[in-house]
Amino acid sequence: MSFNNKVVIVTGASSGIGAAVAKEFSSEGAQVVMVGRNEAKLSAVAAECDKPLVIRADVANDDDARRIIDETIKQFGKLDVLVNNAGLGSNTSCILEGDIMNEYDNLMRVNLRAVIHLTKLAAPHLIKTKGNIVNISSVGGSITPKLPNFISYCVTKAGLNHFSACAALELGPKGVRVNTISPGPVKTSLIDRSNIPLTWNELENATILKRLSEPREIAHLVLFLASDKAVGITSSNYIIDNGASNYH
């Protein structure tokens, strides 16, 4: 899958899935725009890519969101692919305990509102190139969470799934495809930061295949959906969770 001369924005590119996506696109010849908040981590990932444009920004900040698109167009003159990967994990709040409204607002601001805003800003440029969008969601957006402290996170991802389908419906006639990927547990720091009361071994045992995904596996699916091989795919949600969502 060659992406020579394609311009790709990857948010949350400083670690985990986003870093893997940025490196895979770069290895396939894309001109990658790496977006993240941690400058040191961004620089470390950028060192493994071929001359990426690195933008330190908070996607939830409206001025930063506009700057991401403006700097991309100024540097490359176009945009072919937008990968909305940046996201926050859940912490500890649930309905009966903790400050669920504060957590909900924080997660919604990054996991959904920022995606909607970046999509709005990127759409005119993607229409010109007949480009596409890949949104990184979660299996939690499709199933009821077994852990109450994941309510807010799962609600944001359910919203992202629905927004993606609606965006695909509106942008499709303009030649722009929009798809979603819903990973299960992936070996990234997001799970550790989310205070999940489960060990990695317990998470593995909660899947059919008794394994967890590596970030690069998600990246491979992102590249497929962004490529011409997926020219007939839009408004789809691809689950990649080692069978976790169907394991009881």
Side-chain angles (χ1 to χ4, degrees), residues 16-18 21 84-85 134-143 150 153-154 157 160-161 179-188 190-191 207 211-219 221-222 225 237-245:
I17 293 172
V21 170
N84 285 306
N85 167 74
V134 181
N135 293 325
I136 306 301
S137 184
S138 165
V139 291
S142 304
I143 61 176
F150 260 68
Y153 176 79
C154 292
K157 292 303 186 179
L160 175 58
N161 292 348
N179 289 295
T180 309
I181 294 176
S182 290
V186 181
K187 293 181 180 179
T188 71
L190 179 64
I191 289 180
T207 71
R211 66 182 298 276
L212 303 179
S213 295
E214 297 288 345
R216 193 177 181 188
E217 298 171 35
I218 315 303
L221 185 52
V222 171
L225 289 174
N237 184 1
Y238 278 70
I239 294 175
I240 176 170
D241 70 347
N242 296 288
S245 55

mmCIF file of all heavy atoms in Angstrom, residues 16-18 21 84-85 134-143 150 153-154 157 160-161 179-188 190-191 207 211-219 221-222 225 237-245:
data_model
loop_
_atom_site.group_PDB
_atom_site.id
_atom_site.type_symbol
_atom_site.label_atom_id
_atom_site.label_comp_id
_atom_site.label_asym_id
_atom_site.label_seq_id
_atom_site.Cartn_x
_atom_site.Cartn_y
_atom_site.Cartn_z
ATOM 1 N N GLY A 16 1.774 4.976 21.651
ATOM 2 C CA GLY A 16 0.730 3.985 21.424
ATOM 3 C C GLY A 16 0.307 3.813 19.977
ATOM 4 O O GLY A 16 1.138 3.750 19.064
ATOM 5 N N ILE A 17 -1.001 3.738 19.766
ATOM 6 C CA ILE A 17 -1.548 3.520 18.429
ATOM 7 C C ILE A 17 -1.152 4.645 17.486
ATOM 8 O O ILE A 17 -0.763 4.400 16.339
ATOM 9 C CB ILE A 17 -3.083 3.388 18.496
ATOM 10 C CG1 ILE A 17 -3.479 2.106 19.247
ATOM 11 C CG2 ILE A 17 -3.689 3.380 17.091
ATOM 12 C CD1 ILE A 17 -4.970 1.988 19.519
ATOM 13 N N GLY A 18 -1.243 5.885 17.941
ATOM 14 C CA GLY A 18 -0.917 7.018 17.082
ATOM 15 C C GLY A 18 0.514 6.994 16.589
ATOM 16 O O GLY A 18 0.783 7.284 15.419
ATOM 17 N N VAL A 21 0.788 4.305 13.948
ATOM 18 C CA VAL A 21 0.148 4.753 12.705
ATOM 19 C C VAL A 21 1.062 5.719 11.955
ATOM 20 O O VAL A 21 1.256 5.598 10.737
ATOM 21 C CB VAL A 21 -1.208 5.421 13.000
ATOM 22 C CG1 VAL A 21 -1.764 6.092 11.747
ATOM 23 C CG2 VAL A 21 -2.201 4.393 13.519
ATOM 24 N N ASN A 84 -8.106 10.527 13.291
ATOM 25 C CA ASN A 84 -8.471 11.063 14.610
ATOM 26 C C ASN A 84 -8.229 9.980 15.651
ATOM 27 O O ASN A 84 -9.092 9.132 15.905
ATOM 28 C CB ASN A 84 -9.937 11.504 14.616
ATOM 29 C CG ASN A 84 -10.154 12.805 13.877
ATOM 30 O OD1 ASN A 84 -9.505 13.808 14.151
ATOM 31 N ND2 ASN A 84 -11.072 12.793 12.919
ATOM 32 N N ASN A 85 -7.041 10.018 16.229
ATOM 33 C CA ASN A 85 -6.657 8.988 17.190
ATOM 34 C C ASN A 85 -6.556 9.507 18.617
ATOM 35 O O ASN A 85 -6.741 8.742 19.568
ATOM 36 C CB ASN A 85 -5.305 8.386 16.777
ATOM 37 C CG ASN A 85 -4.692 7.559 17.879
ATOM 38 O OD1 ASN A 85 -5.132 6.438 18.155
ATOM 39 N ND2 ASN A 85 -3.667 8.108 18.538
ATOM 40 N N VAL A 134 -10.213 8.310 9.144
ATOM 41 C CA VAL A 134 -10.280 7.103 9.969
ATOM 42 C C VAL A 134 -10.310 7.547 11.422
ATOM 43 O O VAL A 134 -9.383 8.216 11.893
ATOM 44 C CB VAL A 134 -9.081 6.166 9.728
ATOM 45 C CG1 VAL A 134 -9.217 4.912 10.595
ATOM 46 C CG2 VAL A 134 -8.974 5.776 8.258
ATOM 47 N N ASN A 135 -11.376 7.186 12.125
ATOM 48 C CA ASN A 135 -11.533 7.544 13.531
ATOM 49 C C ASN A 135 -11.264 6.328 14.416
ATOM 50 O O ASN A 135 -11.782 5.244 14.151
ATOM 51 C CB ASN A 135 -12.943 8.071 13.803
ATOM 52 C CG ASN A 135 -13.200 9.397 13.113
ATOM 53 O OD1 ASN A 135 -12.298 10.226 12.988
ATOM 54 N ND2 ASN A 135 -14.432 9.610 12.657
ATOM 55 N N ILE A 136 -10.452 6.536 15.449
ATOM 56 C CA ILE A 136 -10.153 5.439 16.370
ATOM 57 C C ILE A 136 -11.122 5.483 17.538
ATOM 58 O O ILE A 136 -11.092 6.394 18.363
ATOM 59 C CB ILE A 136 -8.705 5.513 16.885
ATOM 60 C CG1 ILE A 136 -7.725 5.583 15.704
ATOM 61 C CG2 ILE A 136 -8.409 4.303 17.766
ATOM 62 C CD1 ILE A 136 -7.796 4.408 14.743
ATOM 63 N N SER A 137 -11.988 4.484 17.606
ATOM 64 C CA SER A 137 -12.987 4.399 18.661
ATOM 65 C C SER A 137 -12.585 3.302 19.642
ATOM 66 O O SER A 137 -11.420 3.190 20.016
ATOM 67 C CB SER A 137 -14.368 4.129 18.052
ATOM 68 O OG SER A 137 -15.371 4.131 19.035
ATOM 69 N N SER A 138 -13.522 2.496 20.070
ATOM 70 C CA SER A 138 -13.263 1.417 21.028
ATOM 71 C C SER A 138 -14.449 0.461 21.024
ATOM 72 O O SER A 138 -15.576 0.866 20.732
ATOM 73 C CB SER A 138 -13.080 1.993 22.431
ATOM 74 O OG SER A 138 -13.167 0.977 23.414
ATOM 75 N N VAL A 139 -14.193 -0.793 21.368
ATOM 76 C CA VAL A 139 -15.308 -1.732 21.501
ATOM 77 C C VAL A 139 -16.261 -1.264 22.595
ATOM 78 O O VAL A 139 -17.436 -1.633 22.612
ATOM 79 C CB VAL A 139 -14.823 -3.163 21.812
ATOM 80 C CG1 VAL A 139 -14.109 -3.756 20.616
ATOM 81 C CG2 VAL A 139 -13.938 -3.191 23.048
ATOM 82 N N GLY A 140 -15.744 -0.421 23.496
ATOM 83 C CA GLY A 140 -16.591 0.115 24.549
ATOM 84 C C GLY A 140 -17.706 0.995 24.024
ATOM 85 O O GLY A 140 -18.687 1.250 24.738
ATOM 86 N N GLY A 141 -17.576 1.462 22.788
ATOM 87 C CA GLY A 141 -18.633 2.270 22.197
ATOM 88 C C GLY A 141 -19.803 1.457 21.693
ATOM 89 O O GLY A 141 -20.853 2.015 21.355
ATOM 90 N N SER A 142 -19.640 0.139 21.665
ATOM 91 C CA SER A 142 -20.682 -0.739 21.122
ATOM 92 C C SER A 142 -21.265 -1.697 22.145
ATOM 93 O O SER A 142 -22.304 -2.303 21.901
ATOM 94 C CB SER A 142 -20.117 -1.563 19.952
ATOM 95 O OG SER A 142 -19.575 -0.729 18.953
ATOM 96 N N ILE A 143 -20.591 -1.857 23.275
ATOM 97 C CA ILE A 143 -21.071 -2.790 24.293
ATOM 98 C C ILE A 143 -21.201 -2.074 25.639
ATOM 99 O O ILE A 143 -20.566 -1.055 25.874
ATOM 100 C CB ILE A 143 -20.129 -4.004 24.440
ATOM 101 C CG1 ILE A 143 -18.724 -3.548 24.873
ATOM 102 C CG2 ILE A 143 -20.061 -4.788 23.135
ATOM 103 C CD1 ILE A 143 -17.768 -4.689 25.128
ATOM 104 N N PHE A 150 -16.094 3.071 33.642
ATOM 105 C CA PHE A 150 -15.873 3.268 32.209
ATOM 106 C C PHE A 150 -17.093 3.859 31.500
ATOM 107 O O PHE A 150 -17.131 3.944 30.277
ATOM 108 C CB PHE A 150 -15.484 1.936 31.551
ATOM 109 C CG PHE A 150 -14.007 1.813 31.338
ATOM 110 C CD1 PHE A 150 -13.161 1.707 32.428
ATOM 111 C CD2 PHE A 150 -13.448 1.850 30.077
ATOM 112 C CE1 PHE A 150 -11.808 1.621 32.262
ATOM 113 C CE2 PHE A 150 -12.087 1.764 29.897
ATOM 114 C CZ PHE A 150 -11.250 1.644 30.985
ATOM 115 N N TYR A 153 -16.281 7.088 29.382
ATOM 116 C CA TYR A 153 -15.451 6.743 28.225
ATOM 117 C C TYR A 153 -16.281 6.062 27.140
ATOM 118 O O TYR A 153 -16.205 6.429 25.959
ATOM 119 C CB TYR A 153 -14.313 5.824 28.670
ATOM 120 C CG TYR A 153 -13.436 5.328 27.548
ATOM 121 C CD1 TYR A 153 -12.449 6.128 26.998
ATOM 122 C CD2 TYR A 153 -13.596 4.032 27.043
ATOM 123 C CE1 TYR A 153 -11.639 5.672 25.972
ATOM 124 C CE2 TYR A 153 -12.795 3.564 26.011
ATOM 125 C CZ TYR A 153 -11.817 4.389 25.482
ATOM 126 O OH TYR A 153 -11.019 3.928 24.452
ATOM 127 N N CYS A 154 -17.061 5.088 27.547
ATOM 128 C CA CYS A 154 -17.863 4.342 26.566
ATOM 129 C C CYS A 154 -18.910 5.227 25.898
ATOM 130 O O CYS A 154 -19.187 5.067 24.704
ATOM 131 C CB CYS A 154 -18.521 3.139 27.236
ATOM 132 S SG CYS A 154 -17.336 1.873 27.757
ATOM 133 N N LYS A 157 -17.255 7.191 23.147
ATOM 134 C CA LYS A 157 -16.938 6.369 21.983
ATOM 135 C C LYS A 157 -18.205 5.967 21.217
ATOM 136 O O LYS A 157 -18.182 5.839 19.989
ATOM 137 C CB LYS A 157 -16.151 5.129 22.413
ATOM 138 C CG LYS A 157 -14.752 5.449 22.929
ATOM 139 C CD LYS A 157 -13.919 6.210 21.908
ATOM 140 C CE LYS A 157 -12.481 6.396 22.378
ATOM 141 N NZ LYS A 157 -11.651 7.113 21.367
ATOM 142 N N LEU A 160 -18.861 8.886 19.164
ATOM 143 C CA LEU A 160 -17.922 8.940 18.041
ATOM 144 C C LEU A 160 -18.360 8.000 16.924
ATOM 145 O O LEU A 160 -18.298 8.355 15.736
ATOM 146 C CB LEU A 160 -16.523 8.560 18.523
ATOM 147 C CG LEU A 160 -15.432 8.461 17.454
ATOM 148 C CD1 LEU A 160 -15.286 9.782 16.714
ATOM 149 C CD2 LEU A 160 -14.106 8.045 18.082
ATOM 150 N N ASN A 161 -18.818 6.808 17.286
ATOM 151 C CA ASN A 161 -19.298 5.860 16.273
ATOM 152 C C ASN A 161 -20.454 6.453 15.475
ATOM 153 O O ASN A 161 -20.489 6.352 14.240
ATOM 154 C CB ASN A 161 -19.763 4.562 16.940
ATOM 155 C CG ASN A 161 -18.627 3.777 17.546
ATOM 156 O OD1 ASN A 161 -17.450 4.053 17.296
ATOM 157 N ND2 ASN A 161 -18.956 2.794 18.360
ATOM 158 N N ASN A 179 -14.477 6.129 8.082
ATOM 159 C CA ASN A 179 -14.593 4.828 8.728
ATOM 160 C C ASN A 179 -14.077 4.882 10.164
ATOM 161 O O ASN A 179 -13.352 5.807 10.549
ATOM 162 C CB ASN A 179 -13.816 3.770 7.940
ATOM 163 C CG ASN A 179 -14.496 3.432 6.620
ATOM 164 O OD1 ASN A 179 -15.593 2.888 6.603
ATOM 165 N ND2 ASN A 179 -13.852 3.774 5.518
ATOM 166 N N THR A 180 -14.462 3.882 10.925
ATOM 167 C CA THR A 180 -14.107 3.807 12.334
ATOM 168 C C THR A 180 -13.449 2.467 12.643
ATOM 169 O O THR A 180 -13.816 1.446 12.062
ATOM 170 C CB THR A 180 -15.368 3.942 13.211
ATOM 171 O OG1 THR A 180 -16.107 5.096 12.817
ATOM 172 C CG2 THR A 180 -15.004 4.063 14.680
ATOM 173 N N ILE A 181 -12.483 2.502 13.534
ATOM 174 C CA ILE A 181 -11.860 1.277 14.031
ATOM 175 C C ILE A 181 -12.101 1.207 15.528
ATOM 176 O O ILE A 181 -11.876 2.180 16.253
ATOM 177 C CB ILE A 181 -10.348 1.253 13.731
ATOM 178 C CG1 ILE A 181 -10.115 1.174 12.220
ATOM 179 C CG2 ILE A 181 -9.674 0.070 14.438
ATOM 180 C CD1 ILE A 181 -8.652 1.254 11.827
ATOM 181 N N SER A 182 -12.556 0.050 15.996
ATOM 182 C CA SER A 182 -12.841 -0.140 17.422
ATOM 183 C C SER A 182 -11.946 -1.232 18.000
ATOM 184 O O SER A 182 -12.281 -2.417 17.944
ATOM 185 C CB SER A 182 -14.316 -0.509 17.626
ATOM 186 O OG SER A 182 -15.155 0.590 17.355
ATOM 187 N N PRO A 183 -10.808 -0.837 18.564
ATOM 188 C CA PRO A 183 -9.936 -1.839 19.188
ATOM 189 C C PRO A 183 -10.486 -2.282 20.538
ATOM 190 O O PRO A 183 -11.232 -1.560 21.204
ATOM 191 C CB PRO A 183 -8.607 -1.084 19.381
ATOM 192 C CG PRO A 183 -8.731 0.180 18.587
ATOM 193 C CD PRO A 183 -10.199 0.488 18.554
ATOM 194 N N GLY A 184 -10.086 -3.488 20.934
ATOM 195 C CA GLY A 184 -10.262 -3.913 22.310
ATOM 196 C C GLY A 184 -9.018 -3.491 23.066
ATOM 197 O O GLY A 184 -8.362 -2.517 22.689
ATOM 198 N N PRO A 185 -8.645 -4.211 24.128
ATOM 199 C CA PRO A 185 -7.429 -3.860 24.852
ATOM 200 C C PRO A 185 -6.193 -3.942 23.958
ATOM 201 O O PRO A 185 -5.986 -4.922 23.240
ATOM 202 C CB PRO A 185 -7.363 -4.917 25.965
ATOM 203 C CG PRO A 185 -8.776 -5.345 26.156
ATOM 204 C CD PRO A 185 -9.382 -5.309 24.781
ATOM 205 N N VAL A 186 -5.397 -2.874 23.985
ATOM 206 C CA VAL A 186 -4.158 -2.801 23.212
ATOM 207 C C VAL A 186 -3.032 -2.499 24.186
ATOM 208 O O VAL A 186 -3.208 -1.762 25.160
ATOM 209 C CB VAL A 186 -4.230 -1.694 22.138
ATOM 210 C CG1 VAL A 186 -2.941 -1.645 21.320
ATOM 211 C CG2 VAL A 186 -5.431 -1.920 21.223
ATOM 212 N N LYS A 187 -1.880 -3.066 23.928
ATOM 213 C CA LYS A 187 -0.740 -2.878 24.825
ATOM 214 C C LYS A 187 -0.160 -1.467 24.683
ATOM 215 O O LYS A 187 0.836 -1.244 24.002
ATOM 216 C CB LYS A 187 0.329 -3.929 24.554
ATOM 217 C CG LYS A 187 -0.107 -5.338 24.921
ATOM 218 C CD LYS A 187 0.997 -6.351 24.648
ATOM 219 C CE LYS A 187 0.560 -7.758 25.005
ATOM 220 N NZ LYS A 187 1.620 -8.758 24.717
ATOM 221 N N THR A 188 -0.832 -0.525 25.314
ATOM 222 C CA THR A 188 -0.366 0.863 25.321
ATOM 223 C C THR A 188 -0.461 1.391 26.752
ATOM 224 O O THR A 188 -1.049 0.762 27.630
ATOM 225 C CB THR A 188 -1.218 1.769 24.413
ATOM 226 O OG1 THR A 188 -2.511 1.962 25.014
ATOM 227 C CG2 THR A 188 -1.392 1.167 23.033
ATOM 228 N N LEU A 190 -2.250 3.789 27.651
ATOM 229 C CA LEU A 190 -3.591 4.301 27.925
ATOM 230 C C LEU A 190 -4.301 3.478 28.986
ATOM 231 O O LEU A 190 -4.976 4.001 29.863
ATOM 232 C CB LEU A 190 -4.425 4.329 26.636
ATOM 233 C CG LEU A 190 -5.871 4.817 26.776
ATOM 234 C CD1 LEU A 190 -5.907 6.278 27.210
ATOM 235 C CD2 LEU A 190 -6.627 4.641 25.465
ATOM 236 N N ILE A 191 -4.130 2.162 28.921
ATOM 237 C CA ILE A 191 -4.793 1.297 29.887
ATOM 238 C C ILE A 191 -4.241 1.545 31.289
ATOM 239 O O ILE A 191 -4.986 1.632 32.266
ATOM 240 C CB ILE A 191 -4.633 -0.182 29.480
ATOM 241 C CG1 ILE A 191 -5.479 -0.480 28.231
ATOM 242 C CG2 ILE A 191 -5.042 -1.102 30.622
ATOM 243 C CD1 ILE A 191 -5.403 -1.904 27.755
ATOM 244 N N THR A 207 -10.332 -12.561 26.370
ATOM 245 C CA THR A 207 -10.491 -12.582 24.910
ATOM 246 C C THR A 207 -10.580 -14.021 24.412
ATOM 247 O O THR A 207 -10.089 -14.946 25.064
ATOM 248 C CB THR A 207 -9.303 -11.894 24.200
ATOM 249 O OG1 THR A 207 -8.135 -12.724 24.312
ATOM 250 C CG2 THR A 207 -9.009 -10.534 24.802
ATOM 251 N N ARG A 211 -5.090 -13.203 23.813
ATOM 252 C CA ARG A 211 -3.981 -12.304 23.503
ATOM 253 C C ARG A 211 -4.506 -10.877 23.433
ATOM 254 O O ARG A 211 -5.713 -10.652 23.315
ATOM 255 C CB ARG A 211 -3.316 -12.660 22.164
ATOM 256 C CG ARG A 211 -4.219 -12.440 20.955
ATOM 257 C CD ARG A 211 -3.558 -12.855 19.645
ATOM 258 N NE ARG A 211 -2.363 -12.079 19.355
ATOM 259 C CZ ARG A 211 -2.382 -10.869 18.766
ATOM 260 N NH1 ARG A 211 -3.530 -10.308 18.424
ATOM 261 N NH2 ARG A 211 -1.273 -10.243 18.503
ATOM 262 N N LEU A 212 -3.597 -9.919 23.500
ATOM 263 C CA LEU A 212 -3.927 -8.517 23.332
ATOM 264 C C LEU A 212 -3.270 -8.007 22.062
ATOM 265 O O LEU A 212 -2.258 -8.542 21.607
ATOM 266 C CB LEU A 212 -3.441 -7.701 24.534
ATOM 267 C CG LEU A 212 -3.963 -8.132 25.903
ATOM 268 C CD1 LEU A 212 -3.392 -7.253 26.995
ATOM 269 C CD2 LEU A 212 -5.491 -8.088 25.931
ATOM 270 N N SER A 213 -3.845 -6.977 21.480
ATOM 271 C CA SER A 213 -3.299 -6.419 20.245
ATOM 272 C C SER A 213 -2.092 -5.541 20.533
ATOM 273 O O SER A 213 -1.984 -4.914 21.593
ATOM 274 C CB SER A 213 -4.362 -5.594 19.519
ATOM 275 O OG SER A 213 -5.430 -6.401 19.078
ATOM 276 N N GLU A 214 -1.195 -5.484 19.569
ATOM 277 C CA GLU A 214 -0.088 -4.537 19.585
ATOM 278 C C GLU A 214 -0.514 -3.309 18.768
ATOM 279 O O GLU A 214 -1.323 -3.426 17.836
ATOM 280 C CB GLU A 214 1.164 -5.158 18.960
ATOM 281 C CG GLU A 214 1.720 -6.357 19.703
ATOM 282 C CD GLU A 214 2.390 -5.975 21.011
ATOM 283 O OE1 GLU A 214 2.674 -4.777 21.204
ATOM 284 O OE2 GLU A 214 2.633 -6.885 21.824
ATOM 285 N N PRO A 215 0.001 -2.126 19.088
ATOM 286 C CA PRO A 215 -0.373 -0.915 18.344
ATOM 287 C C PRO A 215 -0.209 -1.058 16.831
ATOM 288 O O PRO A 215 -1.014 -0.528 16.065
ATOM 289 C CB PRO A 215 0.565 0.144 18.917
ATOM 290 C CG PRO A 215 0.832 -0.309 20.315
ATOM 291 C CD PRO A 215 0.900 -1.807 20.221
ATOM 292 N N ARG A 216 0.821 -1.781 16.405
ATOM 293 C CA ARG A 216 1.075 -1.898 14.967
ATOM 294 C C ARG A 216 -0.055 -2.636 14.244
ATOM 295 O O ARG A 216 -0.323 -2.368 13.074
ATOM 296 C CB ARG A 216 2.407 -2.626 14.737
ATOM 297 C CG ARG A 216 2.916 -2.518 13.302
ATOM 298 C CD ARG A 216 4.250 -3.182 13.128
ATOM 299 N NE ARG A 216 4.742 -3.050 11.761
ATOM 300 C CZ ARG A 216 5.816 -3.655 11.289
ATOM 301 N NH1 ARG A 216 6.537 -4.426 12.092
ATOM 302 N NH2 ARG A 216 6.193 -3.496 10.030
ATOM 303 N N GLU A 217 -0.737 -3.543 14.944
ATOM 304 C CA GLU A 217 -1.862 -4.248 14.328
ATOM 305 C C GLU A 217 -2.981 -3.270 13.991
ATOM 306 O O GLU A 217 -3.623 -3.378 12.936
ATOM 307 C CB GLU A 217 -2.389 -5.324 15.276
ATOM 308 C CG GLU A 217 -1.391 -6.416 15.613
ATOM 309 C CD GLU A 217 -1.895 -7.314 16.720
ATOM 310 O OE1 GLU A 217 -3.109 -7.572 16.783
ATOM 311 O OE2 GLU A 217 -1.078 -7.754 17.547
ATOM 312 N N ILE A 218 -3.235 -2.326 14.879
ATOM 313 C CA ILE A 218 -4.257 -1.317 14.617
ATOM 314 C C ILE A 218 -3.813 -0.426 13.463
ATOM 315 O O ILE A 218 -4.617 -0.064 12.602
ATOM 316 C CB ILE A 218 -4.523 -0.461 15.877
ATOM 317 C CG1 ILE A 218 -4.642 -1.344 17.129
ATOM 318 C CG2 ILE A 218 -5.766 0.388 15.676
ATOM 319 C CD1 ILE A 218 -5.697 -2.404 17.058
ATOM 320 N N ALA A 219 -2.527 -0.108 13.446
ATOM 321 C CA ALA A 219 -1.986 0.737 12.374
ATOM 322 C C ALA A 219 -2.173 0.088 11.005
ATOM 323 O O ALA A 219 -2.497 0.764 10.022
ATOM 324 C CB ALA A 219 -0.509 1.029 12.629
ATOM 325 N N LEU A 221 -4.541 -1.832 10.036
ATOM 326 C CA LEU A 221 -5.937 -1.685 9.636
ATOM 327 C C LEU A 221 -6.235 -0.247 9.227
ATOM 328 O O LEU A 221 -6.985 -0.008 8.273
ATOM 329 C CB LEU A 221 -6.860 -2.123 10.776
ATOM 330 C CG LEU A 221 -8.357 -2.144 10.491
ATOM 331 C CD1 LEU A 221 -8.687 -2.937 9.230
ATOM 332 C CD2 LEU A 221 -9.113 -2.709 11.696
ATOM 333 N N VAL A 222 -5.635 0.708 9.923
ATOM 334 C CA VAL A 222 -5.796 2.114 9.542
ATOM 335 C C VAL A 222 -5.314 2.327 8.115
ATOM 336 O O VAL A 222 -6.010 2.953 7.296
ATOM 337 C CB VAL A 222 -5.019 3.042 10.502
ATOM 338 C CG1 VAL A 222 -5.016 4.476 9.965
ATOM 339 C CG2 VAL A 222 -5.635 3.016 11.897
ATOM 340 N N LEU A 225 -7.742 0.880 5.487
ATOM 341 C CA LEU A 225 -8.965 1.673 5.300
ATOM 342 C C LEU A 225 -8.671 3.002 4.608
ATOM 343 O O LEU A 225 -9.535 3.548 3.921
ATOM 344 C CB LEU A 225 -9.645 1.918 6.639
ATOM 345 C CG LEU A 225 -10.306 0.694 7.267
ATOM 346 C CD1 LEU A 225 -10.828 1.023 8.667
ATOM 347 C CD2 LEU A 225 -11.448 0.180 6.393
ATOM 348 N N ASN A 237 -17.551 0.241 10.799
ATOM 349 C CA ASN A 237 -16.858 0.196 12.080
ATOM 350 C C ASN A 237 -16.185 -1.164 12.211
ATOM 351 O O ASN A 237 -16.857 -2.180 12.373
ATOM 352 C CB ASN A 237 -17.845 0.419 13.229
ATOM 353 C CG ASN A 237 -17.167 0.472 14.588
ATOM 354 O OD1 ASN A 237 -15.947 0.359 14.697
ATOM 355 N ND2 ASN A 237 -17.961 0.646 15.633
ATOM 356 N N TYR A 238 -14.868 -1.175 12.111
ATOM 357 C CA TYR A 238 -14.111 -2.422 12.160
ATOM 358 C C TYR A 238 -13.664 -2.726 13.588
ATOM 359 O O TYR A 238 -12.946 -1.941 14.203
ATOM 360 C CB TYR A 238 -12.883 -2.333 11.243
ATOM 361 C CG TYR A 238 -13.185 -2.613 9.804
ATOM 362 C CD1 TYR A 238 -13.921 -1.722 9.045
ATOM 363 C CD2 TYR A 238 -12.756 -3.788 9.195
ATOM 364 C CE1 TYR A 238 -14.225 -1.979 7.705
ATOM 365 C CE2 TYR A 238 -13.045 -4.057 7.863
ATOM 366 C CZ TYR A 238 -13.786 -3.152 7.129
ATOM 367 O OH TYR A 238 -14.076 -3.411 5.808
ATOM 368 N N ILE A 239 -14.103 -3.861 14.096
ATOM 369 C CA ILE A 239 -13.717 -4.291 15.440
ATOM 370 C C ILE A 239 -12.469 -5.158 15.362
ATOM 371 O O ILE A 239 -12.405 -6.107 14.577
ATOM 372 C CB ILE A 239 -14.859 -5.065 16.113
ATOM 373 C CG1 ILE A 239 -16.055 -4.139 16.364
ATOM 374 C CG2 ILE A 239 -14.390 -5.695 17.430
ATOM 375 C CD1 ILE A 239 -17.270 -4.835 16.918
ATOM 376 N N ILE A 240 -11.467 -4.813 16.179
ATOM 377 C CA ILE A 240 -10.230 -5.589 16.240
ATOM 378 C C ILE A 240 -9.898 -5.768 17.722
ATOM 379 O O ILE A 240 -9.196 -4.963 18.326
ATOM 380 C CB ILE A 240 -9.093 -4.916 15.435
ATOM 381 C CG1 ILE A 240 -7.783 -5.677 15.591
ATOM 382 C CG2 ILE A 240 -8.960 -3.442 15.767
ATOM 383 C CD1 ILE A 240 -6.689 -5.213 14.645
ATOM 384 N N ASP A 241 -10.446 -6.828 18.305
ATOM 385 C CA ASP A 241 -10.366 -6.995 19.769
ATOM 386 C C ASP A 241 -10.048 -8.409 20.215
ATOM 387 O O ASP A 241 -10.254 -8.753 21.386
ATOM 388 C CB ASP A 241 -11.690 -6.540 20.403
ATOM 389 C CG ASP A 241 -12.851 -7.489 20.084
ATOM 390 O OD1 ASP A 241 -12.700 -8.351 19.172
ATOM 391 O OD2 ASP A 241 -13.907 -7.374 20.720
ATOM 392 N N ASN A 242 -9.550 -9.237 19.302
ATOM 393 C CA ASN A 242 -9.217 -10.626 19.638
ATOM 394 C C ASN A 242 -10.424 -11.396 20.176
ATOM 395 O O ASN A 242 -10.283 -12.382 20.909
ATOM 396 C CB ASN A 242 -8.068 -10.680 20.653
ATOM 397 C CG ASN A 242 -6.783 -10.124 20.083
ATOM 398 O OD1 ASN A 242 -6.157 -10.747 19.233
ATOM 399 N ND2 ASN A 242 -6.405 -8.928 20.521
ATOM 400 N N GLY A 243 -11.615 -10.925 19.805
ATOM 401 C CA GLY A 243 -12.841 -11.608 20.214
ATOM 402 C C GLY A 243 -13.332 -11.232 21.592
ATOM 403 O O GLY A 243 -14.260 -11.865 22.128
ATOM 404 N N ALA A 244 -12.796 -10.158 22.173
ATOM 405 C CA ALA A 244 -13.169 -9.781 23.545
ATOM 406 C C ALA A 244 -14.648 -9.439 23.675
ATOM 407 O O ALA A 244 -15.291 -9.792 24.669
ATOM 408 C CB ALA A 244 -12.320 -8.605 24.010
ATOM 409 N N SER A 245 -15.195 -8.749 22.690
ATOM 410 C CA SER A 245 -16.579 -8.296 22.802
ATOM 411 C C SER A 245 -17.586 -9.431 22.688
ATOM 412 O O SER A 245 -18.759 -9.259 23.040
ATOM 413 C CB SER A 245 -16.879 -7.229 21.737
ATOM 414 O OG SER A 245 -16.575 -7.698 20.431
#
